[in-house]
Amino acid sequence: MAIKTLGTRLLKRLRDNLFNKRNWLSFIAGLSLVLAYAPFSLWWLMLIVLPLFLYSINGTDVKTATKQGFIFALGWFGSGISWVHVSIDQFGGLPLFFSLLLMVLLCCYLALYPALACYLSTRFAPKKQFSLWLLPPCWLISEYLRANILTGFPWLSIGYSQIDGPLASFAPLIGEIGISALLLVISIAVINVVNNSYRKTHILLLIAVSLSAYLLTNVAWVTPTSKTITAALVQGNVEQSMKWQPEKEWPIQLKYLDHSRENYDADIIVWPESAVTALEPAAQDFLSMADRSAALNDSAIITGILDYKYQSKTYFNSLIVIGKKESNDDTGHYRYNHSNRYYKNHLLPIGEFVPFGDILRKIAPIFNLQYSSFTRGDYIQPNLVAKGVHLLPLICFEIAFPEQLAANFTDKTDILLTVSNDSWFGDSHGPHQHLDIARMRALEFGRPLLRATNNGVTAIVDHQGNIQATLPQFTDAVLKADLELVQGKTFYSQYWQLIHWLLPLILLILFFCLYPMLNKKT
């Protein structure tokens, strides 16, 4: 009888939630945010949807604010990272029901962080009602947790939606994290203007932000040097299903080398992640040939390759330089285990390492993909040097972590380099979002960026985050362009640690100091 009563209550609660208008409005609002990101890039949509959602939960209790925050985020991530399902469905070996269930669980996990921000903004507000001005510091804290817990997944941070909007000019000053805070502040100011709560003060705040955005567009954080290089990015467009077939090894490698031979007038040629489809110790004949070929033609090649250490039986996802290291070298410098290489540090869960692998690998093929047991490289590694140019390398997912980039950024860094293999995600919006994340890093750190991928989006980005040249997706082609090098540092690249730690703290202090005024009418 007790079990029957409990079941009846659960069904009633489920029915009430399913037919709750507020729940659906929050969910749809979250769903719509995918349009604010690439490839749609309707950056202004964030400035409409976010205020509307916050307006709808302003002044609510802890339970309501937390619940609506979760539902809103469920829609936000459900549409925004739907591209993840492409890899799960095509390569995971799971029935459709279980692959969709896995996606729902992932979105529910990510939705916990915005829900946490809404909870904290209510639980610790003096009136125990959702407080708009307490949200910005709580949001930044929850986003920090999302970017670090379980190796982190900081995808779809709201600041990325503004890479093509006027707020992008703040990136060299306060980074994407600061833009996220500004979006929340703008949303709150708009709500208070509508509510006639200290309207003049909030109008002045909006004017100040707008004026600052305009003035920052005219700030030259870095200055051009007299040096220009020519870069060629090879997009091989190799199908993932064919990539590791033994009979395809030499044809794929020769494809990349042939493309390079046709573009040896470039100073630096970049191949994508794991372009060489053989373990490095087994590819010495090919690498030696490519090393001599590039050096004889006064060029350098940077390629992704998997390294295997026989003594320790460990795999590394790596980048190596072959051909000329310095511009005045007479010969190539490649040899196995040379120091001019990079080992990926921030590994992708499931794809590159499997937590509780002994258990999970037995459950489904998705947990037992080929080469999914990599070892981490060091967090701080020397920049790559190719024909005298210093390149800061990041492989695939690592470009989403500005802290890692900052830790490896030096006075000698000329170019940011990221390589990827987004063929796991097919013709989805994932690769386009990935490119915009890379563009934000170029703008934050004031350096041009090269992004070489297997099947797109391959692009050359200038130091202001603008796409200088790009290739169509799913084409076998080479992208070549001249790239102007710059010198100097942005404010964010020098003081990123202070910004990441002090920004939420300052917002929190301001809230409690100004609470009586800010919340008098709200």
Side-chain angles (χ1 to χ4, degrees):
M1 189 69 178
I3 296 175
K4 184 177 180 181
T5 303
L6 178 62
T8 302
R9 289 178 179 176
L10 289 174
L11 285 174
K12 183 179 183 301
R13 180 170 296 183
L14 178 62
R15 185 178 66 251
D16 291 343
N17 282 314
L18 285 175
F19 290 97
N20 186 297
K21 185 184 294 185
R22 169 178 268 182
N23 291 350
W24 280 106
L25 289 174
S26 295
F27 184 71
I28 292 170
L31 278 176
S32 71
L33 285 187
V34 69
L35 300 175
Y37 300 89
F40 314 103
S41 301
L42 303 180
W43 58 266
W44 47 265
L45 189 65
M46 186 68 73
L47 297 170
I48 297 175
V49 174
L50 198 56
L52 286 174
F53 170 69
L54 296 181
Y55 181 84
S56 72
I57 63 172
N58 187 27
T60 57
D61 58 22
V62 172
K63 181 179 178 181
T64 302
T66 306
K67 176 182 173 182
Q68 295 307 311
F70 179 84
I71 294 172
F72 173 78
L74 192 61
W76 175 26
F77 291 114
S79 59
I81 66 164
S82 58
W83 48 270
V84 174
H85 185 258
V86 177
S87 63
I88 297 175
D89 182 53
Q90 293 186 8
F91 304 101
L94 291 171
L96 181 61
F97 172 80
F98 290 105
S99 65
L100 290 174
L101 178 61
L102 199 60
M103 275 300 301
V104 170
L105 291 175
L106 174 60
C107 293
C108 286
Y109 164 72
L110 294 174
L112 291 175
Y113 293 98
L116 173 63
C118 292
Y119 169 81
L120 295 174
S121 303
T122 312
R123 175 66 179 77
F124 295 101
K127 294 181 181 179
K128 296 297 184 291
Q129 293 179 335
F130 179 78
S131 173
L132 290 171
W133 284 106
L134 187 52
L135 179 64
C138 295
W139 186 278
L140 295 186
I141 291 169
S142 68
E143 285 294 88
Y144 171 82
L145 295 174
R146 182 162 74 92
N148 287 275
I149 293 177
L150 299 177
T151 77
F153 191 72
W155 215 270
L156 288 189
S157 183
I158 58 177
Y160 289 120
S161 66
Q162 303 302 300
I163 186 63
D164 290 312
L167 293 181
S169 61
F170 283 94
L173 180 65
I174 54 177
E176 185 276 331
I177 184 176
I179 296 175
S180 293
L182 277 176
L183 281 169
L184 293 168
V185 168
I186 290 170
S187 300
I188 294 165
V190 168
I191 292 170
N192 284 326
V193 168
V194 172
N195 285 341
N196 197 24
S197 176
Y198 290 95
R199 175 174 288 180
K200 290 182 180 180
T201 302
H202 291 102
I203 289 176
L204 288 174
L205 177 59
L206 292 172
I207 292 173
V209 172
S210 302
L211 183 60
S212 298
Y214 172 75
L215 293 175
L216 286 171
T217 59
N218 299 313
V219 175
W221 298 99
V222 296
T223 56
T225 67
S226 57
K227 188 173 182 180
T228 299
I229 68 157
T230 302
L233 312 183
V234 183
Q235 182 175 282
N237 196 36
V238 178
E239 290 185 21
Q240 190 63 35
S241 59
M242 299 169 52
K243 188 168 183 177
W244 298 105
Q245 294 179 12
E247 65 274 14
K248 299 295 182 180
E249 179 182 314
W250 272 95
I252 290 172
Q253 291 170 182
L254 291 175
K255 171 196 279 194
Y256 281 104
L257 189 57
D258 288 343
H259 277 311
S260 300
R261 286 169 175 158
E262 296 169 359
N263 293 276
Y264 271 146
D265 55 331
D267 298 291
I268 298 173
I269 299 169
V270 185
W271 300 352
E273 181 182 11
S274 62
V276 178
T277 53
L279 298 178
E280 189 177 351
Q284 291 302 292
D285 290 343
F286 172 75
L287 294 174
S288 296
M289 176 178 63
D291 181 59
R292 291 192 300 270
S293 178
L296 284 171
N297 289 276
D298 195 30
S299 187
I301 297 173
I302 302 174
T303 180
I305 190 170
L306 305 186
D307 190 11
Y308 180 70
K309 306 297 185 184
Y310 285 99
Q311 290 185 340
S312 58
K313 296 182 180 180
T314 52
Y315 290 93
F316 292 89
N317 190 353
S318 62
L319 282 168
I320 58 173
V321 181
I322 53 183
K324 285 195 169 185
K325 179 179 181 180
E326 302 294 344
S327 57
N328 57 356
D329 286 347
D330 295 324
T331 60
H333 75 298
Y334 175 78
R335 67 183 185 280
Y336 182 55
N337 272 338
H338 73 17
S339 60
N340 198 12
R341 62 178 57 237
Y342 172 76
Y343 288 142
K344 186 177 183 182
N345 169 266
H346 208 117
L347 302 178
L348 184 66
I350 308 302
E352 293 177 318
F353 82 97
V354 181
F356 312 107
D358 293 340
I359 300 173
L360 294 178
R361 290 183 188 280
K362 299 176 183 178
I363 296 177
I366 190 173
F367 301 117
N368 197 29
L369 297 172
Q370 189 175 18
Y371 302 121
S372 58
S373 297
F374 287 101
T375 300
R376 296 179 186 275
D378 294 335
Y379 188 70
I380 299 178
Q381 300 178 50
N383 286 186
L384 298 177
V385 182
K387 204 178 175 183
V389 178
H390 291 247
L391 302 99
L392 193 162
L394 295 166
I395 298 177
C396 194
F397 186 51
E398 292 181 312
I399 197 66
F401 297 87
E403 300 90 344
Q404 182 178 344
L405 194 160
N408 289 275
F409 191 78
T410 72
D411 292 335
K412 293 184 177 181
T413 300
D414 296 308
I415 295 173
L416 307 181
L417 170 67
T418 179
V419 299
S420 186
N421 178 23
D422 285 343
S423 55
W424 293 98
F425 308 112
D427 188 14
S428 67
H429 47 270
H432 300 276
Q433 294 174 357
H434 205 171
L435 174 58
D436 273 6
I437 291 172
R439 292 174 60 199
M440 184 64 77
R441 297 290 91 82
L443 182 56
E444 287 173 335
F445 289 87
R447 287 295 184 272
L449 175 140
L450 303 176
R451 184 172 193 264
T453 69
N454 175 42
N455 65 349
V457 181
T458 296
I460 295 176
V461 179
D462 68 19
H463 67 277
Q464 295 178 316
N466 300 313
I467 297 175
Q468 185 174 325
T470 187
L471 283 176
Q473 283 184 282
F474 313 111
T475 58
D476 179 3
V478 177
L479 178 66
K480 186 162 62 177
D482 293 332
L483 199 62
E484 185 179 45
L485 302 186
V486 297
Q487 62 185 2
K489 289 186 175 182
T490 64
F491 184 87
Y492 178 78
S493 69
Q494 298 177 79
Y495 304 108
W496 64 274
Q497 285 181 311
L498 285 176
I499 293 168
H500 283 224
W501 288 102
L502 288 182
L503 190 57
L505 181 61
I506 291 171
L507 290 171
L508 200 59
I509 292 172
L510 284 175
F511 167 77
F512 285 108
C513 289
L514 303 177
Y515 177 81
M517 181 190 76
L518 293 173
N519 290 271
K520 187 175 181 181
K521 295 184 179 181
T522 59

